[in-house]
């Protein structure tokens, strides 16, 4: 349903604009988090390839990267759920 169709059916325009803005912001945050996760995965792969030698330093670096990757994955899951809720709320305004 388009913006004008929602308006003609009585949905509050400020609610629609707000939800559309929130959806856009959440999509941007999600894209950034996905890029960060990809970066951490590349760094982990590089670290694993160069792990010959400094095992203790590499282990702590690997652990730190794995923690950052895990936190980023949690953020991705939260943002995905938030995005889904926002889109459902926007769809309900059209009903």
């Amino acid at each position: 349903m388009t913006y004008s169709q929602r308006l003609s059916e009585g949905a509050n325009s400020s609610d629609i604009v707000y939800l559309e803005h929130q959806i856009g912001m959440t999509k941007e945050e999600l894209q950034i988090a996905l890029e960060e996760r990809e970066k951490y995965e590349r760094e982990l792969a590089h670290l694993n390839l160069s792990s010959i030698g400094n095992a203790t330093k590499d282990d702590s670096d690997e652990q730190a990267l794995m923690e950052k990757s895990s936190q980023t994955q949690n953020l991705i899951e939260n943002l995905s759920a938030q995005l889904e809720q926002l889109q459902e709320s926007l769809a309900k305004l059209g009903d």
Side-chain angles (χ1 to χ4, degrees), residues 13-78:
S13 65
S14 63
D15 291 342
I16 293 170
V17 171
Y18 173 77
L19 286 172
E20 289 176 340
H21 175 73
Q22 290 299 110
I23 288 170
M25 296 285 291
T26 304
K27 284 181 178 180
E28 287 178 25
E29 290 178 43
L30 183 57
Q31 183 60 38
I32 291 168
L34 289 167
E35 290 170 3
E36 283 183 17
R37 181 183 65 186
E38 189 175 303
K39 180 186 87 169
Y40 294 140
E41 288 173 355
R42 280 193 312 269
E43 289 177 9
L44 275 168
H46 177 72
L47 190 62
N48 287 333
L49 289 174
S50 64
S51 65
I52 301 171
N54 294 335
T56 56
K57 179 161 176 22
D58 288 345
D59 286 346
S60 63
D61 290 346
E62 181 179 12
Q63 186 174 7
L65 283 171
M66 289 176 69
E67 179 64 29
K68 287 179 182 179
S69 181
S70 175
Q71 290 172 354
T72 303
Q73 181 61 36
N74 290 337
L75 177 61
I76 289 168
E77 290 169 5
N78 290 337

